[in-house]
Amino acid sequence: MSADQPADVPAFVDLGLRSELVDALATLGYEEPTPIQAEAIPPFIQGRDLLGQAATGTGKTAAFALPILERMEKDRASGAPMALVLVPTRELAMQVSEAIHRYGRPLGARVLPIFGGQPISRQLQALRRGIDVVVATPGRAIDHINRGTLPLDEVEVVVLDEADEMLDMGFAEDIEAILTETPPTRQTVLFSATMPGRINAIAKRHLTDPVRIEIARPTVASGDAPKVRQTAYLVPRSHKAAALGRILDVESPTAAIVFCRTRLEVDELTETMNGRGYRAEALHGGMDQEQRDRVMNRLRAATADLLVATDVAARGLDIDQLTHVVNFDVPSAPESYVHRIGRVGRAGREGVAITLAEPRQHRMLKNIERITKQKIAIEKVPTVADLRTRRMELTRATLEEMILEGGLDPYRTVVETLADEYDVMEVALAAVKLAHESSGAAADEEEIPDIQPRPEGKAWDKDGKGKGAKGKPWDKDKPGAKGDKAGRPARGTSEGMTRLYVAAGRSAGIRPGDLVGAIAGETDLSGRDIGSIEIADRFSLVEVPEGGADQVIEAMKRTTLKGKKVTFRRERYES
Ligand code: AMP
């Protein structure tokens, strides 16, 4: 499809990346750089400081990981890190470090995540063996610096990832302290989803003449956005394929295109959907023209009902009967969302756009809404009960169709002989059961967690100013959230929030940052989702969104706070 490819989308090789990295990306199924990658990688490689506004899901990790690896000597001899990435949570530390490891495998890159809650001895051992890139949460990085176990004198690049989250979690001083330990000649790169004044202040102090990159630029005129029913579902990554199957079962599209980010994702999802009884076809840049034509013909002839594709492969495709566009991930830029959904809702036909977002990507949906000036309704993934009801309806409709069609006489003797012995109603019920069970789709009994969006009134920080920019989430001004002077907790809970009781407090050394760090690190919630926090001597109270409370309680069973197992439960009190 190269003929359809707009000239302004560069290939990875055009960004100045070495062949080992370009090959690694091809193996991972990445077909082209995302906008943040296209903009950030060239100046990063040239050694410029960068200030990038980009949220999770835009491909920002690779935007800084690849230039770091580009700069790194292959099979480097020195054991002291040449790059330090600071991230707000342990979950992100693991994620980023896995990503760098994956991209840097052909270069023999040694990457180490360091975060609290993991035995420090393991981290010490790895540091002694030699490391190229350290990905650390600020608190644990400071621990190592104080012990003299994290040598920073060879650091050439420092990345502050999700800087606004780090500030929200109270890491400002730690970040300052860490930066002063690194050589002044270092290159500094800062990524943040929002750009409040505090981020600009850090940038002013620590970045030199930075290149500014903003990915959420409103470049799409609102008139360009097609009118289609737009919905989104917040689903944890591990449940996405099941959720998609269920949503499509209920939506019953005539023909749908599902967009994935990589070739591997396309192949995997195609297989999963075929397993669920869909006739799904894969389409990606790794296929030759003949294979592509075959797929398109099957779609046009309606022998396939689902096309699973990458953006590159689907460019220029025009499929008349398409009713649904599905974003299996939030697209890496709002422009690409608009392109994708522009494939339905043409010429007055009905069109539906469905987006599966991970809870942390909620902010990207807000960006898209702002740019398209259209609402995306967040809906609940159909429950097992919804699905059963829908399947029953289908069975009923099929039977009705069969009655209207006629031609049932050959079966009359079976019913008549059974009716001698059993009630006709019983016979009918058995026949319905048989029809229902043989209708294909395997019963899917697993409940998918229902994640609620951030409550209204706690709007995402749209322009980098406003609510989220001031202070920490736990000292936000919420009615009844403060508690009295005697340390008794306040009884009112903020709207849409649930208060959890945590069986450890000040005397166990718990600070608000520990609770935020543990929750944000172990669940799909981010620091900004967490409401007021109160620390009493023997216990703490923390507000989390109602929809995420069970997930927090479960996740906290598997982790420790200050080295100890701590029970989280819903707060019980008499009102
Ligand atoms: P991030 O915004 O860094 O959290 O990345 C979001 C997801 O996009 C990750 O799963 C990456 O593996 C994936 N990704 C990053 N860059 C690309 C690309 N150029 N093409 C396809 N997928 C990508």
Side-chain angles (χ1 to χ4, degrees):
M1 281 312 261
S2 52
D4 296 314
Q5 189 153 338
D8 58 356
V9 181
F12 279 111
V13 69
D14 302 331
L15 301 182
L17 294 171
R18 63 220 264 183
S19 60
E20 290 100 328
L21 292 174
V22 173
D23 292 348
L25 295 170
T27 312
L28 291 171
Y30 290 13
E31 297 198 323
E32 63 180 8
T34 66
I36 186 91
Q37 291 160 6
E39 288 202 40
I41 292 175
F44 198 150
I45 290 179
Q46 283 161 21
R48 296 285 305 269
D49 281 3
L50 293 186
L51 181 59
Q53 178 162 9
T56 306
T58 52
K60 66 177 166 59
T61 313
F64 63 76
L66 295 169
I68 289 177
L69 293 164
E70 180 62 35
R71 187 178 182 129
M72 199 192 82
E73 214 179 292
K74 191 174 178 185
D75 300 319
R76 199 169 153 263
S78 167
M82 53 77 65
L84 172 67
V85 181
L86 292 177
V87 296
T89 63
R90 58 179 112 177
E91 179 208 36
L92 197 60
M94 288 190 283
Q95 240 175 3
V96 167
S97 126
E98 270 162 31
I100 302 179
H101 176 74
R102 251 191 339 244
Y103 306 140
R105 196 172 286 150
L107 301 171
R110 297 162 298 175
V111 191
L112 177 69
I114 66 178
F115 47 80
Q118 191 192 42
I120 205 156
S121 54
R122 204 182 315 158
Q123 297 169 0
L124 291 174
Q125 251 174 22
L127 282 167
R128 270 197 294 270
R129 277 198 304 270
I131 289 297
D132 301 311
V133 184
V134 166
V135 184
T137 52
R140 188 47 78 96
I142 288 281
D143 284 353
H144 276 280
I145 290 172
N146 291 340
R147 286 165 171 253
T149 47
L150 181 61
L152 294 176
D153 42 326
E154 288 184 31
V155 165
E156 298 169 35
V157 184
V158 174
V159 177
L160 305 177
D161 189 19
E162 303 205 352
D164 49 355
E165 286 272 339
M166 289 201 279
L167 294 191
D168 277 351
M169 290 170 64
F171 284 136
E173 279 176 26
D174 290 351
I175 293 173
E176 294 283 338
I178 296 165
L179 285 173
T180 53
E181 294 291 323
T182 57
T185 50
R186 62 159 203 270
Q187 183 180 3
T188 315
V189 171
L190 185 156
F191 279 108
S192 187
T194 59
M195 285 290 163
R198 296 171 306 148
I199 296 288
N200 278 312
I202 291 199
K204 239 194 191 136
R205 263 199 309 285
H206 297 289
L207 272 58
T208 313
D209 184 25
V211 175
R212 284 174 179 265
I213 296 168
E214 190 195 342
I215 268 333
R217 267 189 319 243
T219 51
V220 182
S222 59
D224 294 351
K227 299 260 177 287
V228 293
R229 174 160 65 88
Q230 297 176 60
T231 55
Y233 298 84
L234 297 180
V235 192
R237 178 146 214 92
S238 51
H239 290 87
K240 269 190 165 176
L244 176 62
R246 213 173 272 183
I247 293 162
L248 292 179
D249 284 351
V250 172
E251 287 275 342
S252 307
T254 309
I257 183 163
V258 183
F259 283 99
C260 294
R261 294 198 158 186
T262 67
R263 290 177 191 181
L264 299 186
E265 227 170 56
V266 164
D267 285 337
E268 269 172 32
L269 189 64
T270 307
E271 219 175 294
T272 310
M273 296 315 285
N274 276 314
R276 287 189 69 103
Y278 281 93
R279 297 170 306 169
E281 293 281 349
L283 192 72
H284 56 61
M287 298 164 63
D288 62 30
Q289 196 54 45
E290 205 176 307
Q291 288 170 309
R292 301 169 54 91
D293 289 345
R294 251 197 319 258
V295 167
M296 292 314 297
N297 287 339
R298 278 201 285 268
L299 206 71
R300 291 202 177 96
T303 49
D305 32 34
L306 216 58
L307 185 65
V308 186
T310 56
D311 279 307
V312 172
R315 226 165 251 154
L317 279 190
D318 199 5
I319 309 160
D320 260 357
Q321 68 273 42
L322 213 57
T323 51
H324 289 63
V325 168
V326 180
N327 300 301
F328 193 62
D329 261 303
V330 185
S332 53
E335 291 82 349
S336 125
Y337 178 88
V338 175
H339 274 139
R340 287 179 179 182
I341 72 167
R343 293 165 191 285
V344 289
R346 291 185 185 167
R349 278 195 301 268
E350 191 216 5
V352 182
I354 293 168
T355 302
L356 300 192
E358 287 168 49
R360 290 171 60 85
Q361 296 170 340
H362 190 201
R363 189 196 299 273
M364 296 178 76
L365 293 176
K366 290 284 164 200
N367 251 338
I368 293 172
E369 280 187 337
R370 180 161 59 100
I371 283 162
T372 57
K373 298 200 170 55
Q374 290 183 25
K375 190 103 191 92
I376 303 176
I378 307 269
E379 297 198 354
K380 288 185 174 198
V381 177
T383 60
V384 171
D386 293 337
L387 209 61
R388 283 197 195 126
T389 310
R390 173 78 184 151
R391 290 199 180 127
M392 249 351 150
E393 258 169 33
L394 285 177
T395 301
R396 198 200 62 83
T398 314
L399 288 171
E400 188 170 4
E401 225 169 87
M402 211 164 252
I403 294 168
L404 292 173
E405 231 172 59
L408 297 173
D409 267 346
Y411 306 95
R412 188 171 294 277
T413 45
V414 178
V415 178
E416 279 172 356
T417 40
L418 282 169
D420 286 344
E421 260 188 85
Y422 306 96
D423 184 29
V424 176
M425 180 57 119
E426 290 292 314
V427 177
L429 289 175
V432 172
K433 182 173 183 224
L434 188 66
H436 187 69
E437 288 181 350
S438 63
S439 65
D444 165 10
E445 298 293 334
E446 190 195 9
E447 276 302 358
I448 295 174
D450 174 31
I451 295 177
Q452 295 298 306
R454 165 183 292 263
E456 284 303 321
K458 293 184 69 197
W460 293 102
D461 197 7
K462 280 190 183 152
D463 50 8
K465 299 185 218 64
K467 295 186 185 77
K470 284 196 213 89
K472 298 163 187 163
W474 50 85
D475 55 37
K476 265 185 213 148
D477 196 17
K478 286 185 207 120
K482 284 280 198 299
D484 64 15
K485 287 250 162 53
R488 276 189 301 270
R491 288 313 182 205
T493 309
S494 311
E495 204 187 321
M497 305 290 274
T498 295
R499 190 153 34 212
L500 300 183
Y501 170 91
V502 183
R506 217 168 0 249
S507 56
I510 301 291
R511 296 172 309 165
D514 299 320
L515 295 173
V516 177
I519 294 172
E522 298 295 331
T523 69
D524 298 309
L525 300 177
S526 79
R528 281 154 188 270
D529 296 322
I530 299 168
S532 77
I533 293 183
E534 292 166 52
I535 310 276
D537 263 359
R538 316 288 301 264
F539 66 93
S540 310
L541 297 171
V542 53
E543 278 186 359
V544 297
E546 248 152 42
D550 288 336
Q551 197 196 8
V552 172
I553 293 170
E554 278 311 304
M556 293 304 130
K557 287 182 186 160
R558 298 188 299 268
T559 190
T560 55
L561 266 181
K562 293 271 167 196
K564 293 213 175 73
K565 283 250 178 248
V566 175
T567 305
F568 280 56
R569 61 168 166 77
R570 283 170 198 276
E571 191 197 9
R572 288 188 289 262
Y573 57 84
E574 297 96 43
S575 47

